[in-house]
Amino acid sequence: MDDVDHDLLAFMREAMGFTKAVKKGPRETGVLESARYIFDNSIDIALDRDSVVQAAESIYNAIQQKSYSTQTWSEHELHPKAKDEDTLNFIFTMDVLNFSFWSEESEDTRFSVVYNGKKYTGYWSLVALINRALDEGIPITCPFFVSDPDICPDSLLEHVFRSDSEEQIPLLQDRLTCLRESGMILCERYDGSFANCIREAGQSASELIMRVADNFPCFRDEFKFEGRNVNFYKRAQILIADIWACFNSTSYGSFYDISSVTMFADYRVPVILHSMGCLMYAPKMEGHIRARKPIPSGHPWELQLRGTTIWCVELIRREIEKNHPGSKINAILIDFYLYDTAKEMEERGEDMIPTHRTRSIWY
């Protein structure tokens, strides 16, 4: 009797539906698919195609003029300059805590950090306070330290997060919980170094995002929209993007599928896309946002805002790719540019719709 051809038998079983094909390689994040589903089923937000096309050309030209690239990230005075494992843990700590800085207070009274004689608010206040703690000899980026309440009590962490203005940092207790939990997981599973997590992902950005979302609950922003599970993984994605940018697409920042990362759905990018005419809001929703009324995390309005913003940036990216093949402008660079530009417009006092008021750890 002839030997059985097991490969052929397995192929025939799979073709006839008796077995499921097991996909090899890195996992997909599903963020873009979630965004498309949300956009397709949105009733409160729409996209203006002509404005998207115009925005794509405007953004492409601006990125070229400003020489926007991964090198831009390290140029900021507060971002770390070294390219080592300590920097990885700095970035990991930073993105564990990188959420919810919006304030109803004035610029004079809102949460701020004065570092090296300069006052910082928003995201930069977080980076400043991490640097301030390290300068004070408090190893806030060491997971073995922050996960041990005996050597790092809440009182010390409260000192680290102290404000140089009247308002205290939002969601302080949530930040302490995220910091301790993620530090403990990093110690238990990765020997206290995020570099080990990166090595396991095999230079795949999408696989690394999934490992971060799987292993660290505070990065796992998943919701249900119109009967379907959707995910954004905003801070997991920005963690990978920050590493990619910091290491200038080399060493720990070398990912062969970095284009799988979408933009990072938060507060500020929808504002500038709205001002550019790309996003259009239903009157009731727009009135709610303009009145600065809170929108709960997971509310259909909030999910539509986040999902449609991701899909809008993806359409902008595709338009740039179509008209300027080989430009290598991905969703990350578009996001960095839009975020910085929106911040500049805000500081100049330009007339824009307010950021939506959702207080959560997800962005």
Side-chain angles (χ1 to χ4, degrees):
M1 183 177 177
D2 294 334
D3 292 336
V4 176
D5 188 335
H6 293 285
D7 290 338
L8 178 60
L9 186 59
F11 173 79
M12 292 177 65
R13 283 174 174 166
E14 182 181 317
M16 296 175 70
F18 294 121
T19 60
K20 291 183 179 180
V22 178
K23 183 180 178 181
K24 296 181 180 180
R27 292 172 290 171
E28 297 178 359
T29 66
V31 174
L32 198 59
E33 291 74 14
S34 293
R36 178 62 188 267
Y37 177 79
I38 292 170
F39 168 70
D40 286 344
N41 292 275
S42 290
I43 59 174
D44 300 295
I45 305 181
L47 294 179
D48 182 80
R49 179 65 189 176
D50 290 341
S51 295
V52 169
V53 172
Q54 293 171 15
E57 193 62 20
S58 172
I59 290 167
Y60 170 79
N61 291 330
I63 288 178
Q64 297 303 309
Q65 291 170 8
K66 293 189 176 184
S67 299
Y68 241 75
S69 69
T70 53
Q71 295 181 359
T72 308
W73 193 94
S74 294
E75 290 173 359
H76 195 281
E77 57 192 346
L78 293 181
H79 278 158
K81 304 298 182 286
K83 312 297 182 185
D84 53 26
E85 291 194 21
D86 288 339
T87 290
L88 283 180
N89 279 3
F90 183 107
I91 295 173
F92 180 80
T93 302
M94 182 179 77
D95 285 325
V96 162
L97 302 167
N98 183 9
F99 55 82
S100 201
F101 296 103
W102 61 268
S103 174
E104 301 291 1
E105 301 291 328
S106 67
E107 280 299 309
D108 291 334
T109 59
R110 68 176 297 186
F111 173 74
S112 63
V113 172
V114 176
Y115 179 68
N116 286 342
K118 187 174 180 179
K119 178 181 175 180
Y120 297 94
T121 59
Y123 161 76
W124 293 113
S125 65
L126 169 66
V127 191
L129 72 82
I130 293 174
N131 279 294
R132 181 179 64 184
L134 294 174
D135 288 353
E136 293 173 348
I138 303 172
I140 190 67
T141 62
C142 174
F144 294 103
F145 177 77
V146 298
S147 62
D148 188 340
D150 291 331
I151 60 174
C152 180
D154 281 0
S155 58
L156 180 59
L157 290 179
E158 289 167 3
H159 171 74
V160 168
F161 287 101
R162 70 189 182 277
S163 177
D164 286 312
S165 60
E166 295 178 19
E167 185 183 36
Q168 300 305 303
I169 192 168
L171 302 179
L172 175 60
Q173 192 54 54
D174 291 281
R175 295 180 198 277
L176 302 190
T177 299
C178 290
L179 187 61
R180 291 200 189 281
E181 177 188 68
S182 60
M184 188 176 302
I185 295 169
L186 204 57
C187 292
E188 292 176 349
R189 299 185 184 178
Y190 298 106
D191 197 27
S193 177
F194 192 67
N196 292 326
C197 186
I198 292 177
R199 292 186 186 102
E200 285 187 4
Q203 293 188 296
S204 168
S206 63
E207 179 62 30
L208 183 54
I209 289 165
M210 294 307 298
R211 286 176 181 268
V212 169
D214 286 346
N215 292 315
F216 300 92
C218 72
F219 283 98
R220 197 183 304 146
D221 54 333
E222 302 170 341
F223 297 90
K224 187 175 285 291
F225 179 77
E226 293 296 319
R228 174 171 161 176
N229 293 327
V230 294
N231 50 272
F232 300 97
Y233 302 148
K234 187 268 180 178
R235 289 190 300 107
Q237 290 204 111
I238 205 167
L239 168 62
I240 277 67
D242 282 342
I243 293 169
W244 173 71
C246 173
F247 288 86
N248 199 20
S249 194
T250 64
S251 182
Y252 295 114
S254 176
F255 301 106
Y256 63 82
D257 58 348
I258 194 64
S259 61
S260 66
V261 180
T262 72
M263 65 81 60
F264 321 114
D266 65 356
Y267 314 99
R268 193 160 273 119
V269 174
V271 171
I272 188 169
L273 290 176
H274 179 272
S275 70
M276 297 174 84
C278 299
L279 297 185
M280 300 179 293
Y281 301 161
K284 184 177 180 180
M285 176 180 161
E286 181 163 341
H288 189 97
I289 293 173
R290 288 191 180 279
R292 292 177 165 81
K293 295 179 180 179
I295 301 176
S297 178
H299 187 281
W301 283 352
E302 189 229 8
L303 299 182
Q304 289 177 74
L305 275 165
R306 299 183 74 192
T308 306
T309 300
I310 292 172
W311 188 244
C312 182
V313 170
E314 172 62 14
L315 293 180
I316 289 171
R317 185 198 66 77
R318 292 181 183 183
E319 191 69 23
I320 292 174
E321 184 179 60
K322 181 181 74 175
N323 296 324
H324 306 280
S327 66
K328 296 183 179 180
I329 294 178
N330 58 26
I332 300 172
L333 292 178
I334 295 172
D335 183 284
F336 284 174
Y337 166 76
L338 288 174
Y339 184 93
D340 290 348
T341 304
K343 181 68 174 175
E344 292 168 4
M345 293 171 65
E346 184 181 283
E347 291 172 349
R348 290 195 299 266
E350 297 192 22
D351 184 29
M352 299 188 294
I353 194 170
T355 56
H356 63 281
R357 265 51 180 173
T358 299
R359 186 73 77 188
S360 78
I361 72 167
W362 305 121
Y363 58 99

